Amino acid sequence: MASLSAGPTELNAIISPISQDSLCDENEKLAWHSKPQRPFIETHFAAPKPEYDDASFEASDSAFVWKIYNEESAKADAAIVEASNRSIDVLLVFTGLFSAVLTTFIIQSYQLLIPGPFDATNALLAQFISSQSGALNGTVVSMQATGATATDPGPSLLELRWVNGLWFAALAFSLSAALFCMLGKQWLQSSPNISGSPRHRARQRQRRYMQLQAWHVMTIINALPLLLHATLLLFFAGLIVLLWSGNLVITAVTCVIVALVYACYFGSMSLSLLYPDCPYQHPISEQLRLWMKRKNNSLADSYFEDIEQASQTDFNPWREQEPDVIPDHVDPDDCLDASAFVWLLENCPNGIATSVTLQAIGGLPRSFSAFHVLRKAGAVSLVLKEFRACFHRDSTLDSQWYILQPQDAEKYCRAWMRMTYGTSKQWPTELLKLLETLEKTETTDNINAIAACTRAIAHLDSRDGRPIILPRLRRHAEGRIDFSHEMLCWLLDTFLQCSLVSQLHFRPKDHIVKEAVPVLLRLLHLTKHTLASNVRSAIALSLSYMTNEFSRLASLVLTPTNQSADRKRLKPIAQRGLSKLYVDGRISHVSDDVLADVLQILYPPVMIARGECSLFVKSLLHALWSSTQPEVLFGSVLRLLEPLLLDSQLSVVDAFIEGKGIAALLRVAHTGDTASRHLQLDCMRNLCLFIRSTAEHHHYSRLGHGSDCVNEDRLDHIFRSDFFSTLIPIIAARRWWLPEIAEIWVPALVKLCQLRPYEPVWRGVEAALRKFSDFYEGKDGYYQLINDLDEMKALTESAACQVAHKF
């Protein structure tokens, strides 16, 4: 697939729900696989039709995957907490006993450092005896020598200080271990998570789990035995120092015993690091293996890995290693959901948990911002592996592929499309045959449509996938297939994606555009009275693409966002695309009701280029003349003409005359009964605006400021038409608002009268307006109307006098 990021939030693909009834018990599933199966000559499934009425059901707040996650995580957390509590209890008991024994030794050794009460007297007596006569000296010396040979010399003062220092340090380590054991018990205790939806509880648990991992709580708890190990090492060191200056045999035996103990200790730790399956496991060895693996493989995820994970990893031929695309902004809740899925895949090896998790990925919206977490965990290759398991190839008969689980295969297709959007991952070539089998299987239209979407984008870099999607959209528009709004979003989203990629890799194909525009417009009409805003947004973007507005469209489509501001930007894009299509004549073979919907979207016509206004006016008038049901288009056409005629260019005036605009609007004004008041009012307002623009251009050309001179034939066209013959009866009916007449109609007529005051029609117009004004005497706008009528009367009388003088 070409590197494209997610579309706007309005194009979030709608997800089919997962039926809990279709998920059998794990034991039943294993039993089914253990039974011998018959050759797959012909396989029919009476599986219920998947429902697509609820968006993102497989990953909704009450989805089955969150229930599985809560159950599995509760079991895992309970096992971890129970094992940790037992280990901590053992450490507390050992710490208490060892601290009591160590305190006894410290009491005895510490007394050797304190001078005794009789030490001074003994020193004086020794000095007195040494100063006696020589006769007595020999006797004393011989007695001292005899005593010296009878007992071993005691530890020196320096040795006693070392012994007490080591033993006091050991006691500090032991008591610190007891303190952290109590803290560890508190850290492991979490508040009960019993309220909220299953998804909310899963997010709370995953958030706590990730925080425990981020703050290395389990590492600290696993490291607590190391404090006691260090305590024993300090105690043995102090004991050896105490015995060092004593009996050599006792000292040597003690040193040998301590050396053997710690040789076994460090040897067993080394074995647990080299051989993960070795039973001589240490509490810290698992964390050491994790650190070593991260250093070697540069892993970024901080998950608590299982001891036997390396031996249980299956070979997957579709695993790909490539740089991933990480969005600029990742929603924290999306990250929690993705991490929860990864936790299930890594810590729950049973088949049901894995399949439900992978299928739930297809229920995530395209605006989900943490797909990179799933891709990094290898979910794409797992999806392909599970998709392959949904098929069976009978090599004994016809070597054809038969589908075993079409509903599961459809969910895996949606999961693959979700995770690979915006990446360069492609559908494996060896699985294309399976995809075609799923598309042609006689199951449901929704399953076939998802298979078609997957096949359309499987190899976008090498072929255009729009011809695969367009026939299904056409059949739905014709009523032969009844897709839900969610499935339409999948099809339209895929069609738009294929259109964007084809713009980059292939030459434009006009025949696809000609076929697609009527289909999209028909779909737009079918959804006008529904709440399917996602479908209408997808249609609007697809139509906008048809106008080659690729650069502007890509900036919106390729940016995943949930802001309402981007939703407002959809209408200008749709208006620009539809106006271009309409002016180019590509919207011609559609029904009147569909065309009316298109014209409603185009209002107001602010996105129409100034140079295309004349063509747009011609198209509108042509629609009125060629329509078989013109009453369907009246309102939309009149609304679009009014701003175009208000301050129109000379080319618009000419286009209106060329398209027989006066006759067309008068035809509309005469349509229906006499109660069509608003319709007649809109027609006469547009005609008066046309007359005013024509008169203004005539005045402007007379002053010599314009590049184009208005020909007198334009004015002749007005007076030769049936405008005035229709205007006078309408005014005489006195069914109109005075401000409308005084502010729009009469000023335009006065400007025309200034150009042709000698026309005989003005007397009838003035008389009709005088009678109309008498009915509204004194009301708002009355005096403005009277002033304009006086000016009209003065112009006509002056013109009549000039004519009389000439003759």
Side-chain angles (χ1 to χ4, degrees):
M1 290 171 55
S3 179
L4 292 174
S5 58
T9 57
E10 293 78 1
L11 300 185
N12 293 345
I14 309 303
I15 310 305
S16 62
I18 182 171
S19 175
Q20 297 184 17
D21 297 336
S22 64
L23 294 174
C24 61
D25 184 75
E26 181 181 3
N27 295 330
E28 296 177 359
K29 187 173 182 180
L30 294 176
W32 186 90
H33 285 290
S34 63
K35 297 178 182 179
Q37 302 298 318
R38 295 179 302 172
F40 292 88
I41 301 176
E42 185 175 4
T43 306
H44 298 284
F45 292 91
K49 181 179 179 180
E51 300 292 338
Y52 290 85
D53 295 334
D54 192 3
S56 305
F57 182 84
E58 292 149 331
S60 62
D61 291 345
S62 301
F64 190 40
V65 65
W66 304 120
K67 298 178 182 179
I68 292 181
Y69 176 86
N70 290 329
E71 293 177 1
E72 295 294 335
S73 62
K75 296 177 184 178
D77 293 345
I80 292 176
V81 171
E82 183 180 1
S84 300
N85 283 329
R86 288 182 179 179
S87 176
I88 290 175
D89 292 338
V90 173
L91 294 178
L92 286 173
V93 173
F94 180 81
T95 300
L97 295 176
F98 181 76
S99 297
V101 174
L102 183 59
T103 302
T104 303
F105 278 88
I106 290 176
I107 291 173
Q108 297 299 326
S109 64
Y110 188 71
Q111 290 179 355
L112 298 177
L113 294 176
I114 302 175
F118 302 104
D119 290 347
T121 302
N122 294 333
L124 292 175
L125 289 174
Q127 186 178 4
F128 174 76
I129 294 173
S130 63
S131 62
Q132 296 303 315
S133 59
L136 296 175
N137 271 342
T139 304
V140 174
V141 171
S142 62
M143 292 175 61
Q144 290 179 350
T146 303
T149 57
T151 60
D152 296 328
S156 63
L157 182 61
L158 179 61
E159 291 175 342
L160 290 176
R161 290 176 177 174
W162 271 100
V163 169
N164 282 272
L166 292 173
W167 284 355
F168 272 109
L171 181 62
F173 274 116
S174 179
L175 296 178
S176 299
L179 173 63
F180 281 103
C181 284
M182 291 186 294
L183 291 176
K185 278 182 167 292
Q186 296 176 357
W187 295 339
L188 291 176
Q189 297 298 325
S190 61
S191 57
N193 184 18
I194 59 176
S195 62
S197 64
R199 187 177 197 170
H200 176 71
R201 299 199 302 271
R203 285 177 174 176
Q204 284 188 327
R205 186 268 170 187
Q206 187 64 26
R207 183 182 293 107
R208 173 173 171 77
Y209 174 79
M210 295 176 66
Q211 291 301 319
L212 290 175
Q213 297 297 316
W215 291 94
H216 306 288
V217 173
M218 296 305 302
T219 303
I220 295 175
I221 293 177
N222 291 334
L224 290 178
L226 294 181
L227 288 177
L228 295 181
H229 300 168
T231 300
L232 286 173
L233 180 63
L234 293 174
F235 173 75
F236 285 138
L239 186 62
I240 292 174
V241 171
L242 181 64
L243 298 176
W244 191 260
S245 58
N247 189 280
L248 182 60
V249 177
I250 297 176
T251 303
V253 171
T254 303
C255 290
V256 169
I257 293 175
V258 172
L260 289 176
V261 169
Y262 275 91
C264 294
Y265 175 79
F266 288 108
S268 62
M269 182 176 291
S270 301
L271 289 175
S272 65
L273 293 177
L274 296 176
Y275 305 101
D277 296 335
C278 176
Y280 305 131
Q281 296 295 322
H282 285 250
I284 198 63
S285 60
E286 187 174 357
Q287 191 63 38
L288 291 176
R289 285 198 305 271
L290 180 60
W291 287 342
M292 294 170 61
K293 186 176 181 180
R294 287 179 179 174
K295 183 177 180 180
N296 295 333
N297 300 334
S298 301
L299 296 178
D301 295 332
S302 57
Y303 293 102
F304 192 82
E305 297 196 348
D306 186 77
I307 296 175
E308 300 179 356
Q309 180 179 359
S311 62
Q312 296 178 355
T313 303
D314 298 331
F315 172 73
N316 195 330
W318 299 296
R319 183 177 297 275
E320 299 181 13
Q321 299 292 336
E322 64 174 11
D324 204 350
V325 179
I326 301 177
D328 296 333
H329 172 71
V330 178
D331 187 85
D333 290 339
D334 292 348
C335 187
L336 289 175
D337 292 345
S339 301
F341 288 166
V342 173
W343 187 90
L344 277 175
L345 294 175
E346 293 184 349
N347 295 274
C348 300
N350 66 81
I352 290 183
T354 301
S355 61
V356 171
T357 303
L358 295 176
Q359 292 170 12
I361 297 175
L364 298 172
R366 173 165 289 184
S367 59
F368 189 80
S369 57
F371 282 121
H372 64 283
V373 177
L374 298 171
R375 289 193 294 264
K376 185 177 293 185
V380 176
S381 58
L382 289 177
V383 165
L384 294 174
K385 182 179 178 182
E386 293 295 327
F387 176 82
R388 169 62 180 82
C390 296
F391 296 82
H392 172 77
R393 187 173 186 177
D394 186 9
S395 58
T396 60
L397 297 176
D398 50 3
S399 300
Q400 293 185 359
W401 288 98
Y402 297 94
I403 182 168
L404 305 177
Q405 301 170 346
Q407 295 182 1
D408 292 346
E410 177 265 340
K411 294 180 177 67
Y412 294 134
C413 287
R414 287 190 281 116
W416 182 85
M417 286 190 288
R418 278 287 172 260
M419 287 189 293
T420 58
Y421 189 83
T423 68
S424 59
K425 293 182 180 294
Q426 295 185 351
W427 188 267
T429 306
E430 58 270 24
L431 297 183
L432 283 177
K433 186 65 176 179
L434 280 66
L435 200 59
E436 295 176 358
T437 303
L438 179 62
E439 184 181 0
K440 298 176 182 179
T441 185
E442 296 181 359
T443 53
T444 63
D445 294 330
N446 290 326
I447 293 178
N448 300 145
I450 289 297
C453 292
T454 308
R455 195 164 67 90
I457 63 177
H459 292 278
L460 277 181
D461 292 340
S462 57
R463 65 182 181 185
D464 191 349
R466 289 180 294 176
I468 302 176
I469 304 298
L470 191 56
R472 299 184 183 275
L473 293 175
R474 183 186 299 108
R475 287 197 293 270
H476 176 78
E478 295 172 354
R480 291 186 288 169
I481 297 179
D482 185 17
F483 288 129
S484 64
H485 293 154
E486 291 78 11
M487 182 52 58
L488 278 178
C489 273
W490 277 97
L491 292 170
L492 291 168
D493 200 12
T494 305
F495 182 82
L496 179 60
Q497 182 180 348
C498 295
S499 299
L500 295 175
V501 176
S502 65
Q503 179 75 12
L504 296 174
H505 297 276
F506 308 107
R507 296 179 60 185
K509 298 180 180 179
D510 294 335
H511 69 280
I512 295 181
V513 176
K514 293 180 181 179
E515 295 177 6
V517 170
V519 173
L520 295 175
L521 291 176
R522 182 59 182 172
L523 292 175
L524 190 67
H525 171 70
L526 292 176
T527 58
K528 68 176 182 178
H529 297 302
T530 65
L531 299 178
S533 59
N534 294 340
V535 177
R536 295 179 67 85
S537 299
I539 296 172
L541 288 175
S542 300
L543 288 171
S544 179
Y545 161 76
M546 298 299 174
T547 64
N548 297 325
E549 292 281 346
F550 178 74
S551 58
R552 292 181 178 271
L553 179 63
S555 63
L556 176 63
V557 176
L558 303 183
T559 304
T561 176
N562 288 320
Q563 300 299 325
S564 59
D566 289 326
R567 186 173 297 179
K568 295 178 180 179
R569 294 166 57 189
L570 284 174
K571 185 174 181 179
I573 290 180
Q575 287 179 328
R576 186 183 302 109
L578 288 174
S579 61
K580 180 65 175 176
L581 291 171
Y582 189 65
V583 170
D584 292 345
R586 295 184 179 181
I587 306 178
S588 56
H589 302 289
V590 295
S591 59
D592 290 342
D593 51 357
V594 175
L595 183 57
D597 292 337
V598 174
L599 297 180
Q600 287 180 3
I601 296 176
L602 294 180
Y603 182 82
V606 293
M607 293 298 170
I608 300 175
R610 189 170 180 82
E612 296 179 348
C613 289
S614 59
L615 295 176
F616 191 72
V617 170
K618 287 183 180 180
S619 300
L620 292 175
L621 296 175
H622 176 73
L624 286 179
W625 285 112
S626 60
S627 174
T628 57
Q629 295 177 331
E631 61 275 4
V632 179
L633 303 177
F634 286 162
S636 301
V637 172
L638 293 176
R639 285 181 55 188
L640 289 170
L641 280 176
E642 183 173 340
L644 295 173
L645 297 175
L646 181 60
D647 293 313
S648 62
Q649 313 168 51
L650 188 58
S651 58
V652 173
V653 173
D654 292 337
F656 191 81
I657 295 175
E658 184 179 350
K660 300 179 181 180
I662 297 179
L665 296 189
L666 291 178
R667 175 193 174 198
V668 174
H670 288 295
T671 301
D673 53 19
T674 56
S676 55
R677 184 178 182 183
H678 289 281
L679 185 61
Q680 293 178 355
L681 183 64
D682 292 339
C683 290
M684 301 310 297
R685 183 191 302 117
N686 279 279
L687 289 174
C688 290
L689 291 176
F690 163 72
I691 291 174
R692 190 181 71 175
S693 298
T694 304
E696 288 177 352
H697 283 293
H698 197 284
H699 283 293
Y700 190 73
S701 61
R702 280 184 175 182
L703 296 176
H705 298 296
S707 56
D708 295 328
C709 294
V710 179
N711 196 293
E712 290 292 332
D713 291 340
R714 296 189 179 94
L715 299 180
D716 294 338
H717 177 77
I718 298 175
F719 287 99
R720 286 197 301 263
S721 66
D722 296 333
F723 170 72
F724 290 103
S725 61
T726 304
L727 175 66
I728 294 175
I730 288 178
I731 296 175
R734 294 181 296 182
R735 301 168 55 246
W736 319 111
W737 295 280
L738 179 60
E740 173 81 13
I741 301 294
E743 295 176 5
I744 300 178
W745 294 22
V746 175
L749 296 175
V750 170
K751 289 187 177 183
L752 183 61
C753 184
Q754 292 172 354
L755 298 176
R756 293 281 186 90
Y758 50 84
E759 294 289 342
V761 73
W762 294 120
R763 294 186 181 274
V765 173
E766 181 192 353
L769 289 172
R770 291 284 184 184
K771 292 180 181 180
F772 178 82
S773 63
D774 293 340
F775 186 76
Y776 294 98
E777 182 175 1
K779 294 185 178 180
D780 187 22
Y782 170 76
Y783 295 103
Q784 179 182 353
L785 175 60
I786 294 299
N787 293 333
D788 290 337
L789 291 178
D790 292 341
E791 182 181 356
M792 183 184 297
K793 182 179 180 181
L795 290 172
T796 55
E797 290 178 353
S798 176
C801 292
Q802 292 178 5
V803 173
H805 285 304
K806 288 183 179 180
F807 293 99

